[in-house]
Amino acid sequence: MGDHVYKIVELTGSSSHSIEDAINGAVKRAGQSLRNLRWFQVTDTRGHIEDGQVTHWQVSIKIGFTMEDGG
Amino acid sequence: MGDHVYKIVELTGSSSHSIEDAINGAVKRAGQSLRNLRWFQVTDTRGHIEDGQVTHWQVSIKIGFTMEDGG
Amino acid sequence: MGDHVYKIVELTGSSSHSIEDAINGAVKRAGQSLRNLRWFQVTDTRGHIEDGQVTHWQVSIKIGFTMEDGG
Amino acid sequence: MGDHVYKIVELTGSSSHSIEDAINGAVKRAGQSLRNLRWFQVTDTRGHIEDGQVTHWQVSIKIGFTMEDGG
Amino acid sequence: MGDHVYKIVELTGSSSHSIEDAINGAVKRAGQSLRNLRWFQVTDTRGHIEDGQVTHWQVSIKIGFTMEDGG
Amino acid sequence: MGDHVYKIVELTGSSSHSIEDAINGAVKRAGQSLRNLRWFQVTDTRGHIEDGQVTHWQVSIKIGFTMEDGG
Amino acid sequence: MGDHVYKIVELTGSSSHSIEDAINGAVKRAGQSLRNLRWFQVTDTRGHIEDGQVTHWQVSIKIGFTMEDGG
Amino acid sequence: MGDHVYKIVELTGSSSHSIEDAINGAVKRAGQSLRNLRWFQVTDTRGHIEDGQVTHWQVSIKIGFTMEDGG
Amino acid sequence: MGDHVYKIVELTGSSSHSIEDAINGAVKRAGQSLRNLRWFQVTDTRGHIEDGQVTHWQVSIKIGFTMEDGG
Amino acid sequence: MGDHVYKIVELTGSSSHSIEDAINGAVKRAGQSLRNLRWFQVTDTRGHIEDGQVTHWQVSIKIGFTMEDGG
Amino acid sequence: MGDHVYKIVELTGSSSHSIEDAINGAVKRAGQSLRNLRWFQVTDTRGHIEDGQVTHWQVSIKIGFTMEDGG
Amino acid sequence: MGDHVYKIVELTGSSSHSIEDAINGAVKRAGQSLRNLRWFQVTDTRGHIEDGQVTHWQVSIKIGFTMEDGG
């Protein structure tokens, strides 16, 4: 483990099913454009309500990934 | 979308099953006396332990709803 | 100034014009159903964006008012 | 202990005597209109000063109470 | 409203005129390179002082936008 | 309920399955060496990512337990 | 730009007009007794309500200024 | 109530007796050199322990006072 | 004063009488099993309500003590 | 100094040597792909421990840079 | 990497030399009585001043370590 | 150790060399005009970047000192 530099991006995942599902969706989407994802941290847990029911779980996370050398 | 005013109330839901269930319970109870619920935000996640087991998930949320005109 | 008790409610005002306007709207709406409003404190300043423009300023405030005796 | 829902209200008590007295005043006032009060949490401790002396202790608390069924 | 993923970026807008103007500037600049901007949240309000006058309002905001599919 | 004293310890549970599971694991482990566990509070929700997938949910909690008399 | 030391003071400005005006008033007043003011940061935005209207915007700011050598 | 400017200073009072006493001591000391003290807010409550006993209550407060015109 | 290392433990004291009493109880209990207690810091002030009255003041504190050499 | 817009990115630098070194590494890496870096702010200081020794200092920082015109 | 449980303890290290040295001292001391230390996080950086000079750097850290099975 | 009152001032030290150096500079400057400095606490660690290099470490600290009797 050398002296790596990690970058942190913030995403909000959304799911009609569960908190874990909203996080999984955000991580999966981040993986489409970024490599070497390492960890996440939850920063906010919210949701959308319609007709008195939670319809979407919205979870904001910070995702850290290893930066590779170069520009 | 006109210049609405929203009111925010804080509730703690409790469930023996899961975090999502505790939130659903609080939203459902709020819907018994308030109309036009729009969103929630988790402010605290706690729980009760008995005999070394989590027996209740207790989740505090803020719920926002559209205020209607009048008093 | 006797030993008063104050109650604090949280509202979100919304305005297409300015932050002050969003707060004024929330205070005015609170005054329709509550008397003796005394102070407010901003807790969150957000906004809605459409077509790359801020269309609504959304400001959450806590409002304190003097509780009168009785139930 | 079933799956209860609790509501949380925020009050500021005021007393010329002590911090505990200000809290007791807020809890007593809340009990005039709400039943089943369960707990409180201090969120802010302030005071009013006149002629270089503390004349009022002002303590903001959140109070939780069990919601009963119905509207 | 399906299970979208939103990305959040942080910008600081600067204006010699007002807080709203600094935010509008940051949102407008973000819209030059990002599509589907949805909301912002103020994270810091600062300013630059010269000769005892505020010369620039500097407002940091987080901006959320819908991520499209693909890389 | 006399004038008890409670001690608070902080643990991080880890699970490949869910947030609740990570918390349950930490509570169960605490119960192996401590008696009279009463409550927990979530302080941080993180996770480990491998190959673009969440492989471990890591939840930090504070656990409170009643201290018994003596040393 | 040598190795300067800055001092930070906290003021609350008040205005019947706007948030910016309350900040301008505090900065102007600070400039009557302090030289080399450099920046400010908003720490609290509150206001006074009378007859259901915001009568004063009260904004607390920290102001930084360069300390000159000597005592 | 015109457009006043208030200054905020931070002090730590200390008392062998109580939290209120520590605050009273800090306010009294501030009043020796500053006029027009208006309010305080508690920012930290600590204490010193010797031989297993609390020997000093140390309470940090911010005190606001009206600035008069001039330098 | 050499290069000491201090350990910090967190306790919640409970008293039917006052905030200071709840803290004193927690410090006294800590002193039964730990030596060289040095300071405390209040992290949370809560209470239990029964029949509309505060029955227990519950104060959480961090206590620091000097670690002695060895295991 | 016109009405600039700044973007803020968050990175974690890592060094086996010191906190300053971890920050320098993150700033240097950011400079490989971004121009006009202006300031940083530390948001978290952590580290990795192996065999009872700190092997890596891990410092998270926010870095602000001036956005140039265009897309 | 199975479903481990980690415990977190809080220590304050002290050094007349540097911030890193204060942290190293706390980690080394923790390692005398605890095995499998994994990470630390800085929670507070303070210091002692005598005769207008910093004589001790005091850094509070949380240290996480893997709990082994059993009591 | 009688019932002292301490005052707390906030300064930002700046150094091209290190975080400790920036703090030492602020403490030394405070000692030019204030006696009986006792402790400091770091509140913010920032820095200035030029040509992709950290040119100044800027550390904000609160410094506490014993107030002497009188005005």
Side-chain angles (χ1 to χ4, degrees):
Chain A
M1 186 195 287
D3 290 356
H4 292 304
V5 176
Y6 306 87
K7 190 171 177 186
I8 298 169
V9 292
E10 192 166 6
L11 274 74
T12 303
S14 158
S15 159
S16 56
H17 186 57
S18 71
I19 292 172
E20 283 86 349
D21 220 46
I23 295 172
N24 279 327
V27 169
K28 192 172 302 179
R29 181 62 188 79
Q32 289 182 13
S33 47
L34 299 170
R35 283 189 291 179
N36 304 314
L37 306 184
R38 296 295 185 215
W39 81 88
F40 73 87
Q41 177 184 19
V42 173
T43 57
D44 203 12
T45 305
R46 293 172 173 258
H48 189 72
I49 305 174
E50 274 178 44
D51 296 327
Q53 305 276 343
V54 177
T55 57
H56 281 84
W57 304 89
Q58 299 166 327
V59 187
S60 296
I61 58 173
K62 290 191 174 185
I63 299 181
F65 60 95
T66 316
M67 294 184 82
E68 296 170 358
D69 285 340
Chain B
M1 187 194 286
D3 289 358
H4 292 302
V5 176
Y6 307 87
K7 189 171 178 186
I8 298 168
V9 292
E10 191 165 6
L11 273 74
T12 303
S14 159
S15 159
S16 56
H17 186 58
S18 71
I19 291 172
E20 282 86 348
D21 220 46
I23 295 172
N24 279 328
V27 169
K28 192 173 301 178
R29 181 62 188 80
Q32 289 182 13
S33 47
L34 299 170
R35 284 189 292 178
N36 303 316
L37 306 183
R38 296 294 184 218
W39 82 88
F40 72 87
Q41 176 183 21
V42 173
T43 57
D44 203 11
T45 305
R46 292 171 175 260
H48 189 72
I49 305 174
E50 274 178 45
D51 296 328
Q53 304 277 343
V54 177
T55 57
H56 281 84
W57 305 89
Q58 300 166 326
V59 187
S60 296
I61 57 173
K62 290 191 174 184
I63 299 180
F65 60 95
T66 316
M67 294 183 82
E68 296 169 357
D69 286 340
Chain C
M1 187 195 284
D3 290 357
H4 292 304
V5 176
Y6 306 87
K7 190 172 178 186
I8 298 167
V9 292
E10 190 165 7
L11 274 76
T12 303
S14 160
S15 158
S16 55
H17 186 57
S18 70
I19 291 173
E20 282 86 349
D21 219 45
I23 295 173
N24 279 327
V27 170
K28 193 172 301 179
R29 181 60 188 81
Q32 289 181 12
S33 48
L34 299 170
R35 283 190 292 178
N36 303 316
L37 306 183
R38 297 294 185 217
W39 82 87
F40 73 86
Q41 177 183 20
V42 173
T43 57
D44 203 12
T45 304
R46 292 172 173 260
H48 189 73
I49 304 173
E50 274 178 45
D51 296 328
Q53 304 277 343
V54 178
T55 57
H56 281 85
W57 304 88
Q58 299 166 326
V59 187
S60 297
I61 58 173
K62 290 191 174 185
I63 300 180
F65 60 95
T66 315
M67 293 183 83
E68 296 170 358
D69 285 339
Chain D
M1 186 195 286
D3 289 358
H4 291 304
V5 176
Y6 306 87
K7 190 172 177 184
I8 298 168
V9 291
E10 191 165 7
L11 274 75
T12 302
S14 159
S15 159
S16 55
H17 186 57
S18 71
I19 292 172
E20 283 86 348
D21 220 46
I23 295 173
N24 278 327
V27 169
K28 193 171 300 179
R29 181 63 189 79
Q32 289 182 13
S33 48
L34 299 170
R35 284 190 292 178
N36 304 314
L37 306 182
R38 296 294 185 217
W39 82 88
F40 73 85
Q41 177 183 20
V42 173
T43 56
D44 203 12
T45 304
R46 292 172 173 259
H48 189 73
I49 305 173
E50 275 178 43
D51 296 327
Q53 305 276 342
V54 178
T55 56
H56 282 84
W57 304 89
Q58 300 166 326
V59 187
S60 297
I61 57 173
K62 290 190 174 186
I63 300 180
F65 60 95
T66 316
M67 293 183 83
E68 296 170 357
D69 286 340
Chain E
M1 186 195 289
D3 289 357
H4 292 303
V5 176
Y6 306 87
K7 190 171 178 186
I8 298 168
V9 292
E10 191 165 7
L11 274 75
T12 302
S14 159
S15 159
S16 56
H17 186 57
S18 71
I19 293 173
E20 282 87 348
D21 219 47
I23 295 173
N24 279 328
V27 170
K28 193 172 300 180
R29 180 61 187 80
Q32 289 182 10
S33 49
L34 299 170
R35 283 190 293 177
N36 304 314
L37 306 184
R38 296 294 185 216
W39 81 87
F40 73 86
Q41 176 183 20
V42 173
T43 57
D44 203 12
T45 305
R46 292 171 174 260
H48 189 73
I49 304 173
E50 275 178 44
D51 296 328
Q53 305 277 344
V54 178
T55 57
H56 281 85
W57 305 88
Q58 299 165 328
V59 188
S60 296
I61 58 173
K62 290 191 173 185
I63 299 180
F65 60 95
T66 316
M67 294 184 81
E68 296 170 357
D69 286 339
Chain F
M1 186 195 287
D3 289 358
H4 292 303
V5 176
Y6 306 88
K7 190 172 177 185
I8 298 168
V9 291
E10 191 165 8
L11 274 75
T12 303
S14 159
S15 159
S16 55
H17 187 57
S18 70
I19 292 172
E20 283 86 349
D21 219 46
I23 295 172
N24 279 328
V27 169
K28 193 172 300 179
R29 181 62 189 79
Q32 289 182 13
S33 47
L34 299 170
R35 283 190 293 178
N36 304 314
L37 306 183
R38 297 292 185 218
W39 82 88
F40 72 86
Q41 177 183 20
V42 174
T43 56
D44 203 11
T45 305
R46 291 171 174 262
H48 190 73
I49 305 173
E50 274 178 44
D51 296 328
Q53 305 277 341
V54 178
T55 57
H56 281 84
W57 305 89
Q58 299 166 327
V59 187
S60 296
I61 57 173
K62 290 190 173 183
I63 300 180
F65 61 95
T66 316
M67 293 184 82
E68 295 170 358
D69 286 340
Chain G
M1 187 195 287
D3 290 356
H4 291 303
V5 176
Y6 306 88
K7 189 172 178 186
I8 298 168
V9 292
E10 191 166 6
L11 273 76
T12 303
S14 160
S15 159
S16 56
H17 186 57
S18 71
I19 292 173
E20 282 86 348
D21 219 47
I23 295 172
N24 279 327
V27 170
K28 191 172 301 180
R29 180 62 188 79
Q32 291 181 11
S33 47
L34 299 170
R35 283 189 293 179
N36 303 316
L37 306 183
R38 295 295 185 216
W39 81 88
F40 73 87
Q41 176 183 21
V42 174
T43 58
D44 203 13
T45 305
R46 291 171 174 261
H48 189 72
I49 305 174
E50 274 178 45
D51 296 327
Q53 305 275 344
V54 177
T55 56
H56 282 85
W57 305 88
Q58 299 166 327
V59 187
S60 297
I61 58 173
K62 290 191 173 184
I63 300 180
F65 60 94
T66 315
M67 293 184 83
E68 295 170 358
D69 285 340
Chain H
M1 186 194 287
D3 290 357
H4 291 304
V5 176
Y6 307 87
K7 189 171 178 186
I8 298 169
V9 291
E10 191 165 8
L11 274 74
T12 303
S14 158
S15 159
S16 56
H17 186 58
S18 71
I19 292 172
E20 282 86 349
D21 219 46
I23 295 172
N24 279 327
V27 170
K28 191 172 302 179
R29 180 64 187 79
Q32 289 181 13
S33 47
L34 299 170
R35 284 190 292 179
N36 303 316
L37 306 183
R38 297 293 186 216
W39 82 88
F40 73 87
Q41 177 184 20
V42 174
T43 57
D44 203 12
T45 305
R46 293 172 172 260
H48 189 73
I49 304 174
E50 275 179 42
D51 297 327
Q53 305 277 343
V54 177
T55 57
H56 281 84
W57 304 89
Q58 299 165 327
V59 187
S60 297
I61 57 173
K62 290 191 174 184
I63 299 180
F65 60 95
T66 316
M67 294 183 83
E68 296 171 357
D69 286 340
Chain I
M1 186 194 286
D3 290 357
H4 292 302
V5 176
Y6 307 87
K7 190 172 178 186
I8 297 168
V9 291
E10 190 166 6
L11 273 75
T12 303
S14 159
S15 160
S16 56
H17 186 58
S18 70
I19 291 173
E20 282 86 349
D21 219 45
I23 295 172
N24 279 327
V27 169
K28 192 172 302 178
R29 181 61 188 81
Q32 288 181 14
S33 47
L34 299 170
R35 283 189 292 180
N36 303 317
L37 306 183
R38 296 293 185 219
W39 82 87
F40 73 87
Q41 177 183 21
V42 173
T43 57
D44 203 12
T45 305
R46 292 171 174 261
H48 189 72
I49 304 173
E50 275 178 44
D51 296 328
Q53 304 277 343
V54 177
T55 57
H56 280 85
W57 304 88
Q58 300 165 327
V59 187
S60 296
I61 58 173
K62 290 191 173 184
I63 299 181
F65 60 95
T66 316
M67 293 184 83
E68 296 170 357
D69 284 340
Chain J
M1 187 195 286
D3 290 356
H4 291 303
V5 177
Y6 306 87
K7 189 171 178 186
I8 298 168
V9 292
E10 191 166 5
L11 273 76
T12 303
S14 159
S15 159
S16 56
H17 186 57
S18 71
I19 292 173
E20 282 86 349
D21 219 46
I23 295 172
N24 279 327
V27 170
K28 192 173 301 179
R29 181 61 186 80
Q32 289 182 11
S33 48
L34 299 169
R35 283 190 293 178
N36 303 316
L37 306 183
R38 295 294 184 218
W39 82 87
F40 73 87
Q41 176 183 21
V42 173
T43 57
D44 203 12
T45 305
R46 292 171 173 261
H48 189 73
I49 305 173
E50 275 179 44
D51 296 327
Q53 305 276 344
V54 178
T55 56
H56 281 85
W57 305 88
Q58 299 165 326
V59 187
S60 297
I61 58 173
K62 290 191 174 184
I63 300 180
F65 60 95
T66 315
M67 293 184 83
E68 296 170 357
D69 285 339
Chain K
M1 186 194 287
D3 290 356
H4 291 305
V5 176
Y6 306 88
K7 189 171 178 186
I8 298 168
V9 292
E10 191 165 6
L11 274 76
T12 303
S14 160
S15 158
S16 56
H17 186 57
S18 71
I19 291 173
E20 283 86 349
D21 219 45
I23 295 172
N24 279 327
V27 170
K28 193 172 300 179
R29 180 61 188 80
Q32 289 181 13
S33 48
L34 299 170
R35 283 189 293 178
N36 303 316
L37 306 182
R38 296 294 185 217
W39 82 88
F40 73 86
Q41 177 183 20
V42 173
T43 57
D44 203 13
T45 304
R46 292 173 173 259
H48 189 73
I49 304 173
E50 274 178 46
D51 297 327
Q53 304 276 344
V54 178
T55 56
H56 281 86
W57 304 88
Q58 300 166 326
V59 187
S60 296
I61 58 173
K62 290 190 173 184
I63 300 180
F65 60 95
T66 316
M67 294 183 82
E68 296 170 357
D69 286 339
Chain L
M1 186 194 288
D3 289 357
H4 291 304
V5 177
Y6 306 88
K7 190 171 179 186
I8 298 168
V9 292
E10 191 165 7
L11 274 75
T12 302
S14 159
S15 159
S16 56
H17 185 58
S18 71
I19 292 172
E20 283 86 349
D21 220 47
I23 296 173
N24 279 327
V27 170
K28 191 173 300 180
R29 181 61 188 80
Q32 290 182 11
S33 47
L34 299 169
R35 283 190 294 177
N36 304 315
L37 306 183
R38 296 293 184 216
W39 82 87
F40 73 87
Q41 177 184 19
V42 174
T43 57
D44 203 13
T45 305
R46 292 171 174 261
H48 189 74
I49 305 173
E50 274 178 44
D51 296 327
Q53 305 276 343
V54 178
T55 56
H56 281 85
W57 304 88
Q58 300 165 326
V59 187
S60 296
I61 58 173
K62 290 190 175 185
I63 299 180
F65 61 95
T66 316
M67 294 184 82
E68 296 170 357
D69 286 339

